[in-house]
Structure formats: C-alpha cells, structure tokens
Amino acid sequence: MIPEPPPTPPHAPPALELVQLAKRFGQKIAVDGLSLTVPQGSMFGLVGPNGAGKTTTLSMATGLLRPDHGAAVVLGHDVWRDPAAAKARMGVLPDGVHLFDRLTGAELLRYNGLLRSMPEADVTARAADLLAALDLAGTAGTAVADYSAGMRKKIALACALIHAPRLLLLDEPFEAVDPVSGEAIRAILRDFVASGGTVVLSSHVMELVESLCDRVAVVADGRLVATGSLDEVRAGSTLQHRFVELVGRQAGEPEGLPWLRTSSR
Amino acid sequence: MAAHLLALRFRLLVGSLRQSPWAIVALVVTVLGAISLLGSTLAGAVAVRALLPELGPAAAVVGGAVLVLALTAVTVLIGTSDPLAAERFSLLPLRVRALRRGLLVASVLDPWVVVGVLGTTIGMVVWSTSGLALATAVAVLPIAVATAVLVPRAIADLLARQLASKGARDAMAIVLVVAVLGLTVGVQLLASGVRAITDVARVLETAAGVLAWTPIGAAFDLPRAIAAGAWPEAAAKLAIALATVGLAWWGWGRLLGERLTHPIVLRGGGRVREGRLLDRLLPATPAGAIAARSIRYRRRDVRHLMNVIAALLVPAVVGGMQLVGIVDVDVDGTRLPLDGLALLPVLMAFVAAAIVQIDLAYDSSAFAWHLLTGVRGADDRAGRLLGIAVVYVPTLLLTAVLATWASGRWDLLPASVGCGLGTFLLLAGVMLWLGVLLPGEAPAPGSNPLGRGSSGGIQSLAGIALSLPMLGTVGAPCIGLAIAAIWIPWLGWLSLAVGLAVAALSAWFGIRVGGAALDRRGPEVLAHVSKAA
C-alpha cells in the first residue's frame, strides 16, 4: 500500500453521499429521509440503537435493497442508476448474510475475485496476502461452514478487500472477532485510510468508534440525529454519554427488575 | 403443553399464509391433492367392497402398507413440520415426553397426517362383510392410525439425522439407489406373473400374505385373522403391530431428545478435497467461477446432492429393469410396445430443468455477494446453466443410452439423445428467465435437507406449468420428429439436429433475457430467496 496520503483534489466528490434515503416495510418506516455525506479519506463511524435502520441504510447504499425514495452516490456514481461503476469502487462487509460456505476460505476468496472480473494472477496473489494478514492461512483449505463466527467475519472482510476498493462499507466488522485479529483489522483499516481510502463502519461499541473513527453519525428511528467530526458530535463529553443523551433513552435503571435479584429470593 | 404447541402451530400456519400469497396457493393445492387422493381411496375401497368383496382383506393389507410407505416417502421428501423443529425448543426446560406428546397433537394441522388418519379410516369399508371383522377393525383402528402417523415421522427424523453427517451421506445415497433398484426388480418379478385379471388377484394375495407379516402391514391384517379365528396368527400379528408402534414412538422420542441437546447441523466435514482441476478447466471469468462453484456445490451441499441422486434414480431404474428383462413381458400374448421407452430422457429433462429454476433459491442470502460484486445477470445465468449442465447432461446421455438399450432399438439413439437434450435445454432456457420472476424456495443452507421447500415449493410447480406451452410449440418439432423416428428411423437424426438448434437458441434466450431480468430485479430476488432463512 502507498505510505503517503495522496492530496485530495479540492472538488473531489464525497466517498459516499446519501440523499433523502427512505424505506418502509409494510407499516414500519425503517429509514426516514436520511441524508449523509462521507468525505473521502475519512474513517466514518455509524452508530445507533438496535433497530435504528443502520443495516437497512447500508443495504440501500450497497445495492442490496432498493430504496423507496432517495439516492446513494459512491464517488460520483449513483448506486441505483449506474450500479456497475459504483459497485466496482466499493467493498462491502454485509451483516446477517450467508456466505457460500461450502467453499473453502481460499475458494471463496477466489470466487469473489473472479466475480469482479479480476485477472486470475492478481486474485491468486492477493488471496494469499489477505489470508496471511487475517491469520486465516492455516485454515484456507477448510470449508467456511466449519469456521467460527469470528473467522467468518474475517473471510468476509477479505472478500470485501480483494479488489482494492476505494470505499469500504463494513457492517459490524469487529463483532465476534478476537482482540488480536481485531487489532490486525484496525491496522489494515488505518493504513487504508492513510492511503486515501474511505471506511464507513457501523458498531455498537462506542469506545471502539471513539478510538478508531474521525467522523461519526448517530442514527435513531431511521433518522440522522447528529453528524460531524468526532469532537463535534461528542461535544466535550464521551461518545457513550452523548449517544445516550441524543438517542433519549436512559441506560437500564438499576431499580428496573427487582424480581431478578438473587437476594430477593 | 400440547394445547400450547397446537396453538403455536396454528399461529405459524396463519402467519405464513399472511406473509405470502404463494403460501395460500400451496395450501390449496395440498388440500386439493389430499382430497383427490382420499376420494380415489374411498372409491377404490367401495368398489372392492361392492364388486370383489373376497379380495377385501388382501386389498386392505396392500393398501395399508402402500399408505404407510407413501406417507413415509412424502414426509421424507417434503419434510416433517419444520416450524416446530425440535432444535427450536432446545433452550427451554422441556422434557422429551411432553414435547413428543405436544408435537403429536400439533401434527393434526399437518395435511399429510390428516391423510394418514382418514386414509386408514376409509380402509375399514372393506371389512363390512363380516360383523366380527368390522368390530375388530374398529378396535384396532388406533393401532393402524398410529402406524400410519408414527412410522413416517420416525423414519423421516432418522434419515434427517443420518444425512447430516458427511460419511453417512454417501452411504445413504448408495443404499437409496440400491433400494429403488431392488424395489423395481421386485415389482418387475410380481408383474411378470400377471397374465390376466385373475392373476392380479393372485398377485395381490401373495403380496398381502408377505406384507401382513411386516411392520407396515401387520396392523391391517388383524381383522381378517380374528374373524377367521386364527388366534395364534392374530396374536403374532398384534404383537408385530404393537411392537412397530411402540418402537416408532420410542425411537421418535429418542431422536427428539437427541436433537434437543445435539441439534442437526450440516457440517462441511473439515477439510474438503479441493478440485484444482475444475479451476483449470473452467475459464477464470465470472461465469466460469459461478459454474465451478455450482459444480462443487452438487457434491458438497447435501441439498444439491439429494437432487443429483434423485436424477440418477431414473437411469438406475431403467438399467435395473433391463437387467431383469422387462422387455420380454407380454400381456395376453401381445407384446408391449416398448419402442417408446427410448424417449424416456424427455421425462428426465423435466426434472433437470426444474432444478435450473430454483437453483438461485438454494443460495439463500449468499446471493447478496453476486449483487455486491456487480456480476452481470447474463454471467450469473450462463454460469449456473453451465454448472448444472455439466452434472445433468451426462446423466441425461446415460439415461438415453440405457433407455435405448431397454427399448431394443439402437437406431432410436439419435432421437433419444435429440429429444432429451432438446427438451432439457429448451426448458432450462425458459427456466433461466422464469427463475428470476419465480425463484421458488429451497431448504435453508445448513438446515435439514429434507426440510420444508425441498421440492421447490409452489412456484416450482407454477414454473413447470408455465413452461409447458413452450414445450408444446417450440419443442414440438424436436419431440414430434423423435416420435416419428419410431417408424422412420432416419428422422431421429433430424430430431437430434433440430433439438440441438432449439437448445442453443433457448440457452441464448435464457442467458440474455433472463440475465437482463436479473439485472433489473436483483434486489427483489434477493429479498425473496433470503426470506426463508
């Protein structure tokens, strides 16, 4: 990877721009006119409570779920009008999606590389690099079905990286990943951003977002509640504290469930 | 507990009906099928009672055994009621006894259990010849019903467990092929004795005599044995029938208990054999990669493997028949016209083409990776067609050769190959397109391979029905020429040429039009096929 960040052109298009995205499932409005701009070269954290619409938003931004309204633009290419151009520029780690898990780790990587019309030699070389970097080389010949949850996360991440995208959209990339692999992934992502790439990741762990991201967006009930640089959003407090404040729900009251206390029995 | 499970099953049924109009159509088709099956059973029973009352006992035994076998086959093929799979209760503090009782009660909402109960009850009609026999039939009805309900349940659960382990899968496949071969030979040996209607009665009685001593037939012979006063025989058969029910009940409980603590999960089986050869043979393009993946899945994914085995049964049956010599069967001195047997590959082509339609549904939400990588719809279609053709076309050719051999008319081989290949690729091309509009359903990855949707669901039936007009028009020249070749053999070569031309055109259509449809509808298809998971 390139060690020096290339200067961003003054009028560079944002890495990701969401314009008034909306999606309704039956009676439930999952995403309600959400607009968001992610500048190039940023490490962007997307946080929100369960059911806030993070995964729905990311699905619409990546071409998996057709929005009822609005647009998603990747580096100047509309995801829904010009999907081929937009998809070639982004790498996606979806959450809650099956893998082709009867393939081995190495076969799965090769499969994703070839699906993206990459030359075979590049696929082979990069697959070996990725397997080594994510500590999966020893299990490259094992069916993905037999991987643990954390290993699946890592092989899926490798699939998202193999074509060297310029924008990474990662839904819960650190979930179930062990601390050592988590640090390896962080290093890869920091290096990627330093070289001019852009990362958008969703997470529930505020400490992680705080330590990794330079920009943050808070989503609740399908709407954007706050966005900006990390310092702007946390406004002198911790992100955890701000988040609870913004989302408007108090952390579980200790008085909540008296019957659950062992001493009351 | 039982009432609770029954209510749960009912709410799940209503919920599935609300979720998709296809579920309503599926229920209606199932109910109509069950009604027509029961109606013809009733008509048959009444006819035997009225016209051939002396055949009643034999008919009851054979009919009962066939009912148990058929329900077992149906339960194995379309799955035990998946929404109440034992694994889902594994975190609850439940005893197996309570769960087993509850599941049994809840199964009254399962159409096939209803068929078992009503079918067994209808069988009593034939006993109305004697008061004692009828009284006995009523008395042992619970045993007969329990046999028809519990035996299929226990066998299906046992098979599901066996199929989950990789080593057993291969063994099962062989056993299944051998069993069907054996059954074919058995039926053939029975049929070879048939010369006239009176022979039918003799064959029926021979079969009944044998089946009455087996677990699946003993309960149905009790009324005759008791009415005839054959007490030792009756006692022995009662023991067999009770032991069968007891064993099925106990075995089902054991399997349920096992599933509560050790769920059926299909594991890949550790290191798999990596076929580097496949990667070298197929081009390193999106379509080539999809074809390679498709071929690997036929072998490694038990859901696909089951389909391959099912397709292999056709040539196995034909080969088996030929080995026993069905060709020499003649009825009342006239030789059966077996020339048509050479055209059997047409039927086989249907089975293979139906798989093309629902192939995408087997991917479930993993199809998202095709959308994320921006694969063109045409590449997706071409890769899948190639992958399926590599596995099924050789099977089709094998069937053509065996069927031609069985027909004794080697000059029909070109016609046999032509109509088989032509039909397969014509339908496959249509299915490549229809499969985008009606993706069907498949058992979820890693779940019970015999679970819900293993027959493709109602959309699969709709797809076959919709493709029939194509077969009748575009496919007509190829099939017509193949039939004509029975009398004018050289037309078979013409049929082969026309078949290959139609096949190429249709494959091109499927890849182009189906691919364009997939480009348009990709996210909607993903939403449909990942719903089941």
Side-chain angles (χ1 to χ4, degrees), chain A residues 62-66 80 87 92 94 96-104 106-107 110-112 114-118 120 138 141-143 145-146 156 159, chain B residues 266-272 274 279 284 286 289-290 293 296-297 300-301 363-366 368-375 445-446 520 523-524 526 533:
Chain A
T62 54
L64 293 182
L65 182 69
R66 199 183 299 280
W80 291 96
K87 286 172 181 176
V92 183
V97 160
H98 281 109
L99 294 162
F100 285 106
D101 61 7
R102 301 288 138 179
L103 299 180
T104 67
E107 283 169 351
R110 179 187 158 85
Y111 187 57
N112 273 277
L114 291 182
L115 286 186
R116 290 192 177 268
S117 301
M118 290 168 60
E120 195 180 5
T142 306
D146 292 335
C159 290
Chain B
L266 294 172
R267 295 260 119 195
R271 284 196 170 266
V272 294
E274 285 183 275
D279 288 335
I290 291 170
R293 200 267 300 172
R296 290 201 167 100
Y297 261 57
R300 292 183 195 167
D301 189 330
D363 293 354
S364 187
S365 59
W369 292 93
H370 282 207
L371 288 183
L372 289 177
T373 50
V375 177
R520 265 195 318 277
E524 284 72 28
L526 173 66

Side-chain angles (χ1 to χ4, degrees), chain B residues 57-62 202-213 217 221 237:
Chain B
V61 173
V62 173
R202 198 171 48 76
V203 168
L204 202 61
E205 266 161 11
T206 314
V210 177
L211 286 172
W213 288 103
D221 198 38
K237 282 176 178 166

Side-chain angles (χ1 to χ4, degrees), chain B residues 127 130-141 223:
Chain B
W127 297 114
S130 123
L132 183 54
L134 190 61
T136 317
V138 173
V140 300
L141 185 64

